[in-house]
DNA sequence: TCGCCTAGCACGTTTGAAATGG
DNA sequence: ACCATTTCAAACGTGCTAGGCG
């Protein structure tokens, strides 16, 4: 069972279009030619306004939220748990959509965990290079998306600012909000052109604070109890994990803890000897930035500071690059050992032909196409209607990237004054790193507007938009994401954002995350 | 001294190739 | 020869801990 009916109703989302602060039905804004041009499209697209998105395992998310969700971030990348899964309905079965997610700062604070609560500990660090995670099945037909759960469980979080794998980069001890974007592919199986429509969905119960080690033992216990990979840390039946003394909860030292301590005290020397077998391993990434020249902060112009509705203020730049053979490793000095030591499912493998693409990455085609969609009870990658998989299995560019300064906030669509991020240089379009034209596998990109009011009185919010043309000249606004027409095989794709603006509407009050969800004693800060 | 971060560890799960049998 | 099932090892994901670092 995905959800009970009540929660499903709560999370129902009727797509709407936002243009210049007005709300309109999506279909009225949609360029009919866009739908008509989409292969397999049948008639007017009613999918957007009828679309409904339900967060999977909402109750579990609520449990975490009430305890103050924490997500571990590591240099190598760590999955989220609970993982971000949604059930989508109401799509046009034959229209192609691209599903993606990103994680944006929830506010401009840094936090610390004191006395069992998260407290504001100062101003946030400069925003990391924003990245998007494109579901590896994208683009796919509505029938495909609706058939099973759409899972983003392979998304990984990292605190490595130079991460070459395309994992989403976050700052530790900061609060973040995941978002889901549904983009209607245009006639080129792309989006970002003027005909591209998109919607954004935010589930506030998925907000979390990134940490390098768990602060709240309640979260630790929730993870251990619910994550099968942490089963090894579960105690035997009846093993109480938390004891209450004078109304306060104290963690109980588990058998594992005792064992670990014994191992540490008696076998530390041996462990060190074993650990010393691979010296220098962690040094690989530390030199990455200098080699590639990746700008850590490359968000766009001062538009980010504009209090106006963010939709027309944020731009994303996406690039897609051809998959090459393993020789691409040669372009990474000293990278290969690290790459090989990591998961087979590297979102990004290497930069490609041009130094300009230094922050472009590629995913592994084979593994990224592993089933990320689930039926209610079982995975059934083999049951997928191949007719619906209009893309080749080599499709493999499941990451985009954006860089965004701190978002401007809005409440129910009313923009809130954003706060500046002086640490981030704000050049305009100069941030666009265009791939060399000579490379036919390079996917070009252009700014896209997004408007995403995150704050809502409900536990979740959404926003929907038609493609607001950057200009009428489509040639100057190539799709952000597109499949080469006539290409039967998708290349490995890479989306590397060069620029975006703080168009994300997030309240500066943490209450947005607790409304309707929090209980007394919520660990979320009250400020 | 403190708080945060990292590497290495053990454990359980997942995955996929190889082996086996019908 | 083909297909389905089973087995098993490697890879992966996880939380825990000591030690490093600023």
């Amino acid at each position: 069972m995905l959800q009970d009916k009540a929660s499903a109703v709560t999370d129902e989302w009727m797509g709407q279009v936002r243009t210049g602060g007005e709300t309109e039905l999506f279909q009225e804004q949609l360029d009919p030619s866009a739908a008509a041009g989409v292969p397999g499209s049948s008639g007017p697209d009613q999918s957007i306004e009828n679309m409904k998105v339900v967060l999977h395992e909402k109750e579990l998310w609520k449990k975490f939220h009430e305890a103050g969700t924490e997500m571990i971030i590591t240099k190598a990348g760590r999955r989220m748990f609970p993982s971000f899964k949604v059930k989508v309905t109401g799509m046009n079965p034959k229209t192609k959509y691209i599903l993606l997610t990103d994680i944006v700062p929830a506010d401009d604070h840094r936090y610390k965990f004191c006395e069992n609560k998260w407290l504001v500990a100062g101003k946030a660090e400069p925003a990391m290079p924003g990245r998007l995670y494109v579901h590896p099945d994208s683009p796919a037909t509505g029938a495909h998306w609706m058939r099973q759960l759409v899972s983003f469980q392979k998304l990984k979080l990292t605190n490595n600012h130079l991460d070459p794998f395309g994992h989403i980069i976050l700052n530790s001890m900061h609060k973040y909000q995941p978002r889901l974007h549904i983009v209607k592919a245009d006639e080129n199986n792309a989006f970002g052109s003027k005909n591209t429509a998109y919607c954004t969905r935010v589930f506030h119960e998925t907000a979390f604070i990134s940490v390098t080690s768990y602060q709240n033992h309640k979260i630790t216990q929730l993870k251990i109890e619910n994550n099968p990979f942490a089963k090894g840390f579960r105690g035997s039946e009846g093993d109480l994990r938390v004891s209450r003394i004078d109304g306060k909860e104290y963690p109980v030292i588990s058998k594992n803890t005792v064992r670990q301590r014994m191992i540490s005290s008696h076998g530390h020397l041996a462990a060190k000897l074993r650990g010393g077998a691979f010296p220098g391993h962690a040094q690989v990434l530390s030199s990455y930035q200098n080699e590639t020249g990746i700008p850590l902060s490359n968000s766009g112009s001062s538009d980010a500071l504009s209090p106006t509705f963010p939709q027309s203020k944020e731009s994303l730049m996406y690039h897609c690059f051809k998959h090459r053979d393993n020789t691409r490793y040669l372009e990474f000095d000293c990278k290969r050992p690290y790459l090989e030591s990591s998961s087979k499912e590297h979102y990004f493998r290497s930069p490609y032909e041009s130094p300009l693409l230094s922050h472009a990455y590629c995913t592994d085609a084979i593994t990224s196409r592993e089933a990320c969609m689930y039926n209610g009870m079982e995975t059934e990658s083999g049951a997928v209607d191949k007719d619906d998989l209009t893309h080749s299995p080599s499709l493999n560019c499941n990451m985009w990237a954006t860089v965004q300064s701190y978002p401007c906030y809005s409440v129910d669509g009313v923009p809130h004054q954003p706060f500046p991020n002086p640490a981030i240089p704000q050049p305009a379009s100069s941030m666009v790193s265009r791939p060399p034209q000579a490379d036919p596998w390079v996917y070009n990109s252009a700014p896209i507007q997004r408007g995403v009011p995150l704050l809502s009185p409900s536990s979740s919010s959404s926003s929907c938009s038609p493609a607001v043309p950057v200009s009428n000249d489509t040639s100057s606004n190539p799709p952000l994401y597109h499949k080469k027409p006539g290409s039967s095989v998708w290349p490995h794709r890479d989306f590397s954002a060069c620029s975006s603006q703080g168009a994300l509407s997030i309240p500066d009050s943490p209450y947005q995350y607790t409304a309707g969800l929090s209980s007394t004693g919520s660990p979320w800060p009250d400020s």
Side-chain angles (χ1 to χ4, degrees):
Chain A
M1 291 294 292
L2 297 179
Q3 297 287 330
D4 59 37
K5 206 164 186 175
S7 65
V9 170
T10 302
D11 277 343
E12 277 184 3
W13 164 54
M14 303 302 289
Q16 292 179 319
V17 167
R18 197 172 271 289
T19 39
E22 296 179 359
T23 301
E24 304 169 325
L25 286 178
F26 174 82
Q27 191 174 353
E28 296 175 10
Q29 294 292 316
L30 187 66
D31 183 343
S33 64
V38 174
S41 174
S42 59
D45 177 20
Q46 297 181 343
S47 59
I48 295 292
E49 68 262 32
N50 293 328
M51 210 179 296
K52 299 172 184 175
V53 182
V54 175
L55 177 66
H56 184 57
E57 295 183 320
K58 185 174 182 176
E59 293 307 312
L60 182 60
W61 275 105
K62 280 184 177 179
K63 280 186 185 177
F64 277 89
H65 186 87
E66 288 167 0
T69 311
E70 298 171 24
M71 295 290 177
I72 292 280
I73 56 175
T74 67
K75 193 172 182 178
R78 197 80 148 189
R79 287 186 179 185
M80 292 174 64
F81 186 87
S83 54
F84 194 44
K85 299 176 186 176
V86 296
K87 178 67 176 177
V88 184
T89 57
M91 286 177 161
N92 184 327
K94 293 184 178 179
T95 300
K96 290 181 184 175
Y97 301 90
I98 296 161
L99 267 65
L100 55 142
T101 186
D102 64 357
I103 298 175
V104 297
D107 55 36
D108 63 339
H109 298 136
R110 180 186 177 88
Y111 292 88
K112 63 178 179 181
F113 193 73
C114 286
E115 297 176 352
N116 222 31
K117 281 187 177 180
W118 283 102
L119 304 174
V120 172
K123 195 166 178 60
E125 306 262 330
M128 289 300 98
R131 285 174 172 173
L132 302 179
Y133 177 88
V134 180
H135 193 285
D137 285 355
S138 300
T141 61
H144 179 72
W145 295 119
M146 292 187 293
R147 182 175 296 119
Q148 302 148 331
L149 279 175
V150 181
S151 172
F152 293 91
Q153 68 174 359
K154 297 202 173 186
L155 181 158
K156 285 188 176 181
L157 311 176
T158 182
N159 59 346
N160 181 8
H161 298 190
L162 309 177
D163 171 70
F165 305 123
H167 301 148
I168 291 181
I169 302 170
L170 305 178
N171 277 319
S172 181
M173 313 302 274
H174 288 60
K175 190 195 288 185
Y176 291 96
Q177 173 66 64
R179 307 184 308 176
L180 171 71
H181 306 282
I182 301 175
V183 182
K184 181 177 171 296
D186 64 16
E187 60 270 25
N188 295 318
N189 286 333
F191 73 91
S193 66
K194 69 174 183 180
N195 291 333
T196 300
Y198 63 97
C199 293
T200 296
R201 183 73 160 91
V202 174
F203 300 94
H204 292 159
E205 56 268 55
T206 61
F208 63 86
I209 291 181
S210 57
V211 296
T212 55
S213 61
Y214 290 122
Q215 307 294 306
N216 186 346
H217 71 269
K218 289 182 183 177
I219 293 299
T220 306
Q221 292 309 312
L222 279 171
K223 301 249 183 180
I224 289 173
E225 290 166 9
N226 294 282
N227 190 339
F229 283 106
K231 215 171 185 176
F233 301 97
R234 296 175 189 171
S236 59
E237 295 177 15
D239 180 11
L240 293 179
R241 290 294 179 161
V242 175
S243 63
R244 289 183 177 274
I245 302 174
D246 293 335
K248 289 188 176 181
E249 292 182 344
Y250 296 88
V252 172
I253 297 175
S254 66
K255 292 183 294 186
N256 275 294
T257 302
V258 173
R259 174 177 46 76
Q260 291 260 1
R261 285 178 179 170
M262 293 184 67
I263 290 172
S264 294
S265 60
H266 295 291
H268 210 195
L269 178 59
K272 277 191 174 296
L273 289 173
R274 285 193 301 271
F278 307 99
H281 190 78
Q283 304 302 320
V284 175
L285 287 178
S286 60
S287 62
Y288 180 72
Q289 183 181 20
N290 286 340
E291 295 171 23
T292 61
I294 296 175
L296 289 183
S297 300
N298 55 355
S299 68
S301 70
S302 58
D303 287 347
L305 307 181
S306 168
T308 58
F309 186 71
Q311 176 170 325
S312 61
K313 298 298 179 183
E314 182 181 20
S315 63
L316 303 175
M317 300 305 301
Y318 306 112
H319 299 289
C320 218
F321 301 99
K322 174 178 85 171
H323 169 76
R324 291 172 57 184
D325 58 50
N326 287 337
T327 58
R328 65 190 182 277
Y329 287 117
L330 296 175
E331 300 179 31
F332 271 113
D333 278 350
C334 309
K335 302 295 186 307
R336 184 157 189 166
Y338 192 89
L339 289 166
E340 291 177 339
S341 70
S342 297
S343 164
K344 286 184 294 185
E345 196 202 13
H346 299 141
Y347 300 120
F348 303 145
R349 278 292 180 79
S350 75
Y352 288 89
E353 284 75 3
S354 166
L356 288 175
L357 313 181
S358 58
H359 53 297
Y361 309 100
C362 186
T363 58
D364 183 298
I366 298 172
T367 52
S368 73
R369 288 282 305 154
E370 290 171 357
C372 288
M373 301 184 67
Y374 297 85
N375 208 330
M377 299 297 292
E378 61 183 279
T379 60
E380 54 171 40
S381 58
V384 172
D385 183 357
K386 289 183 172 53
D387 291 337
D388 289 333
L389 294 174
T390 54
H391 50 280
S392 157
S394 66
L395 168 64
N396 189 353
C397 193
N398 57 350
M399 292 298 290
W400 303 344
T402 78
V403 175
Q404 52 203 21
S405 58
Y406 292 125
C408 51
Y409 297 154
S410 69
V411 179
D412 290 338
V414 179
H416 187 86
Q417 181 68 41
F419 45 88
N421 179 12
I424 298 180
Q426 308 268 318
S429 57
S430 62
M431 296 313 300
V432 177
S433 176
R434 299 218 176 260
Q437 296 293 327
D439 184 357
W441 293 93
V442 170
Y443 286 75
N444 213 333
S445 61
I448 186 173
Q449 289 74 35
R450 293 192 298 179
V452 189
L454 289 187
L455 184 61
S456 163
S458 65
S459 62
S460 58
S461 63
S462 65
S463 162
C464 224
S465 176
V468 179
V470 176
S471 83
N472 291 331
D473 179 8
T474 54
S475 65
S476 64
N477 296 304
L480 299 177
Y481 170 109
H482 70 91
K483 177 183 178 180
K484 293 179 70 65
S487 171
S488 60
V489 178
W490 282 76
H492 285 68
R493 296 171 301 169
D494 177 25
F495 305 90
S496 178
C498 298
S499 174
S500 71
Q501 297 302 312
L504 310 173
S505 304
I506 307 172
D508 52 1
S509 166
Y511 282 123
Q512 68 164 309
Y513 301 108
T514 59
L517 288 171
S518 65
S519 57
T520 54
S522 168
W524 296 106
D526 299 327
S527 61

